[in-house]
Every structure is written in structure tokens, then in C-alpha cells.
Amino acid sequence: LRQKANFVILEGFLSELLHQDIKVNKILESESNQTDEDDKYNVVDLLCEDERGELIIIEIQFYSELDYFHRILYGISKVITEYMKEGDSYSKVKKVYSVNIVYFDLGHGDDYIYHGTTTFQGIHLNDELAFNSTQKKKFSKDTPGGIYPEIYLIKVNNFNDLAVSTLDEWVYFLKNTELPKNFKAKGLTQVEQHLNYEKMSTKEKSKYDEFIKSRLISKSMLETAIEESVEKTKIEAYHEKVDMILTLHQDGVGLSLLAKASKLTEEEVLTILRERGAE
């Protein structure tokens, strides 16, 4: 996507996500998006500028990070300061969009796309603070939130593979690395043309294979974590039943009621009592 010939793919994805026509002017370099071949955690960190001069950070992350939200904030802050020239007025601060495509369970939420913005809400009147007429004309925005960073989180693994919108078609591709049927989303036609595996160079195939490997490892890690969590929950629930049975038994509750309360068979309850020496 750093190649200018493939800007149309990047523009298509961003246009579908941001719900506006995006034209990528150039790919930028900064301290925060240097590619390090030895850094397996930072797979892609792409920074581009659109024709309006606004900055867009695109990051693809496979491995879970507890402080990933902090990382997003740091990345936005660093990009803003890097592209401020000494002596510039604050009005020169660039609008930043942070687009994060994650292949792990980030935070607690069941949706697969989250959008974060900044608003200023009145504590007493519950009204939203807006720009005055002079500010609106100068900044071409209606509210302060229009100049503040916006964050998009795409939790790929939460997607159910039902592409009901053009943006869903992109998420389907990001999750399955294959194109959905009868796709209409901007940029996907070029994906089909430019990212055909058989037409890739040896170097491109190697990079693509590494991407697939990382995605599969990420999926396996998530499934393992879920299985371990389920098993832990089962064990904890069983121990709670044992404690309940022992307490009720000490209070003189009979076998049939113990079985009913614990949803176990009488034989299973007896086994527990024998093992704990409480029969």
C-alpha cells in the first residue's frame, strides 16, 4: 500500500470507512511508523496524508496488548507534534484519523467496528459546545470535535462474515483474506487485480505468507484463550457447588435436596461428600 500505484486500494478502504471520498496525497514517514523487520508486534504502521492535508494512521495489530489504547493515544500525539513546525500557530494542528485493525479481543464489546470522537457536553444544560461563526468559517468545522482526532477500531474477529454493506465487504476481506461474492466496495476491484497471489513477485509472496501466518497464529491464540477461560469458569463453578453442598450438608439438608440444589445426581453428591470426608 506504500506504492503509489496501489493508492486506489487504500483510498477505497478509507472512503468506505470514513463515509467520504478520500484521496491519498502521499505516504509520510515519521519516527512512529518506521518499519522494523525484527519487531513482530508492529506488523503495519502506515501514515498517509489526504488531499485536504489531514493525517491518517493505519495500523494492523495481531498480538494482544493490554495497553493498546494508550499506544493509540501516544501514536496520535506523536504524529501531531511531528507535523507541527516551530513557530506555527495552533491553528496549524492537523486533523488525525487513527484506524486500527486488530486481530485480537480488544476491550469488552461485541461490535466489530467502534468509532471514537471528542465532544464537549454541557454539565447543566446538556448542550454540545459549538464553534462561533468566525471559527466555523476559519476552520470549516461546526464543533471543536471536528478538529480533534477520531479513532476507528475494527475488531476483525468479531465480524460474523455476513457482508450487508460495502464496509462489511472490506471487513470480510480483512478477516478472510479473500473477496466476498458480488462485492461492490471501492478499492476491492483493484485488490483483485493487484493482489493476485500468482502475479506476485517472490518478495511479495513471502510478505503475504508472513501475513497469513501471523493471522493464523493470532486466531489460534484467541481460541486458546477462550478455551482456557471456559475451562477455568467450569472449574470455579464446580468448586462453588462443592462448597455449597458441604455447607448445606452441615446444616442437615438431605441428599435429594442437595442434588436438586446443586443440579448434580445423588451419586455425584455422595462422591463429593466421601472425598471430603463428610458423608
Side-chain angles (χ1 to χ4, degrees):
L1 292 179
R2 291 179 179 272
Q3 299 175 10
K4 195 166 185 178
N6 290 334
F7 276 10
V8 66
I9 297 174
L10 187 58
E11 290 168 349
F13 168 63
L14 292 174
S15 295
E16 298 290 2
L17 179 65
L18 304 180
H19 301 292
Q20 54 182 302
D21 288 330
I22 299 294
K23 293 294 181 183
V24 175
N25 186 33
K26 56 185 174 182
I27 300 297
L28 303 171
E29 291 295 337
S30 76
E31 294 177 19
S32 60
N33 79 321
Q34 296 293 330
T35 301
D36 183 353
E37 294 294 339
D38 296 325
D39 185 2
K40 65 180 180 179
Y41 298 104
N42 189 18
V43 180
V44 173
D45 191 1
L46 186 65
L47 176 64
C48 61
E49 182 182 73
D50 67 15
E51 60 182 358
R52 297 166 300 179
E54 297 179 334
L55 304 177
I56 305 171
I57 304 169
I58 301 174
E59 190 160 324
I60 299 179
Q61 183 70 12
F62 292 101
Y63 300 91
S64 178
E65 292 186 12
L66 190 63
D67 58 355
Y68 190 79
F69 287 104
H70 297 77
R71 171 176 168 168
I72 293 171
L73 180 60
Y74 175 79
I76 292 172
S77 303
K78 193 166 183 63
V79 164
I80 289 175
T81 54
E82 283 180 1
Y83 285 89
M84 276 287 287
K85 296 179 182 178
E86 188 175 352
D88 278 350
S89 67
Y90 291 121
S91 64
K92 298 294 184 181
V93 170
K94 290 180 177 287
K95 169 83 172 186
V96 177
Y97 294 91
S98 176
V99 179
N100 300 270
I101 304 167
V102 298
Y103 289 81
F104 61 93
D105 191 18
L106 177 62
H108 180 70
D110 297 326
D111 208 326
Y112 54 96
I113 302 179
Y114 288 88
H115 180 208
T117 60
T118 300
T119 59
F120 295 83
Q121 209 76 25
I123 293 177
H124 300 98
L125 301 179
N126 201 36
D127 61 327
E128 182 179 350
L129 184 66
F131 278 147
N132 60 36
S133 57
T134 303
Q135 290 170 319
K136 288 181 180 180
K137 184 176 181 181
K138 181 174 178 61
F139 306 129
S140 300
K141 307 288 184 182
D142 292 326
T143 67
I147 64 172
Y148 277 67
E150 295 185 33
I151 300 171
Y152 286 86
L153 299 172
I154 303 177
K155 298 173 63 172
V156 176
N157 292 332
N158 278 16
F159 182 58
N160 61 7
D161 288 340
L162 297 176
V164 297
S165 69
T166 49
L167 178 55
D168 283 349
E169 292 176 359
W170 263 104
V171 180
Y172 182 96
F173 171 70
L174 292 171
K175 179 180 179 182
N176 300 291
T177 60
E178 63 181 39
L179 294 169
K181 296 179 180 179
N182 304 316
F183 61 85
K184 299 178 181 178
K186 294 180 180 179
L188 286 184
T189 297
Q190 287 72 24
V191 167
E192 186 177 42
Q193 295 171 354
H194 292 287
L195 301 187
N196 186 310
Y197 188 83
E198 297 304 322
K199 296 180 180 179
M200 290 182 185
S201 65
T202 302
K203 185 177 181 180
E204 288 171 336
K205 286 182 178 180
S206 177
K207 286 185 176 181
Y208 180 77
D209 289 340
E210 282 299 314
F211 168 81
I212 295 298
K213 180 181 178 181
S214 296
R215 189 175 70 86
L216 292 175
I217 290 174
S218 173
K219 184 177 180 182
S220 176
M221 288 173 64
L222 176 63
E223 291 173 347
T224 300
I226 291 173
E227 289 175 3
E228 290 177 348
S229 177
V230 170
E231 186 62 28
K232 182 180 178 182
T233 300
K234 288 181 179 178
I235 292 173
E236 290 174 348
Y238 177 75
H239 285 303
E240 288 177 0
K241 286 186 177 183
V242 170
D243 290 340
M244 178 187 68
I245 288 170
L246 294 175
T247 300
L248 293 177
H249 178 67
Q250 289 176 354
D251 291 339
V253 176
L255 183 61
S256 62
L257 288 178
L258 288 176
K260 185 175 181 180
S262 63
K263 296 183 180 179
L264 298 175
T265 65
E266 292 186 6
E267 184 177 345
E268 288 171 331
V269 172
L270 279 174
T271 299
I272 291 172
L273 293 175
R274 290 193 189 102
E275 289 175 349
R276 301 305 190 279
E279 187 178 5

